[in-house]
Amino acid sequence: MNCIFCDIVNRLENAEILYEDNETMAFLDIRPFNHGHSLVIPKNHYSNFLEVSNEDLSAMMKLVQKLANSVKTSLNADGYNILSNNGIAAGQTIFHCHFHIIPRFNSDGFKFKMNLKEYEENEMREIAFKIKENLK
Ligand code: AMP
Ligand code: ZN
């Protein structure tokens, strides 16, 4: 299978690696929103978030939290975004599950909150109902 993140795990592709253990790895994103923008991945290949095993999920999220702290502290960031794009519609370009940790600065001017929508009457309740049905 052709996967650049698996290649990084297997040392077939270079990356600025920040951390690794048996289950997870973290490295710098080569096209950062801000310097220090990092990626956390499970070493096993899962094409998206929903496929990740419970064990790898827990290891990955622990590393996301640890790295968010380290990125924020080391770069003296004012905040950070944690996000995972899943599916082409969501902007996913690498189909090996990953979380972005993006350091944010009061002055960086990025606007993530674009195109916010509104609900019509009852729409919130109907949508919540559909989502809750699939949580059962
Ligand atoms: P996404 O668009 O959410 O799938 O994120 C993929 C991210 O991987 C992008 O932010 C890319 O800049 C980053 N990326 C792609 N190739 C590499 C690489 N070889 N090393 C580090 N980051 C990469
Ligand atoms: Zn992979």
Side-chain angles (χ1 to χ4, degrees):
M1 184 208 334
N2 203 353
C3 172
I4 187 98
F5 288 178
C6 283
D7 287 350
I8 290 173
V9 169
N10 295 318
R11 301 297 199 278
L12 298 171
E13 185 72 36
N14 283 331
E16 197 58 52
I17 294 170
L18 300 166
Y19 176 87
E20 73 176 315
D21 58 26
N22 287 339
E23 290 85 28
T24 62
M25 185 181 255
F27 48 90
L28 289 180
D29 192 305
I30 39 164
R31 293 291 313 280
F33 275 101
N34 277 324
H35 288 176
H37 177 169
S38 303
L39 300 174
V40 171
I41 64 168
K43 281 188 167 176
N44 288 326
H45 181 92
Y46 303 100
S47 61
N48 65 61
F49 182 64
L50 294 184
E51 289 183 0
V52 180
S53 74
N54 279 348
E55 196 187 16
D56 283 341
L57 182 66
S58 133
M60 178 173 67
M61 295 318 291
K62 278 184 187 153
L63 180 55
V64 166
Q65 188 186 50
K66 202 168 161 182
L67 197 69
N69 184 33
S70 170
V71 165
K72 182 175 188 291
T73 307
S74 324
L75 299 168
N76 224 353
D78 300 307
Y80 50 89
N81 292 102
I82 295 171
L83 62 97
S84 176
N85 301 320
N86 285 268
I88 292 169
Q92 185 177 8
T93 58
I94 305 273
F95 290 83
H96 180 132
C97 178
H98 56 279
F99 272 77
H100 298 254
I101 297 169
I102 305 168
R104 297 296 306 277
F105 301 90
N106 291 332
S107 58
D108 67 26
F110 291 136
K111 299 222 180 333
F112 277 103
K113 290 187 181 171
M114 296 184 305
N115 305 323
L116 297 184
K117 299 196 165 40
E118 288 180 9
Y119 285 109
E120 304 293 335
E121 207 176 318
N122 289 330
E123 241 180 349
M124 258 181 121
R125 197 182 316 138
E126 285 161 18
I127 287 171
F129 179 79
K130 282 188 199 169
I131 294 171
K132 287 193 284 187
E133 280 294 293
N134 285 296
L135 270 176
K136 284 176 186 164

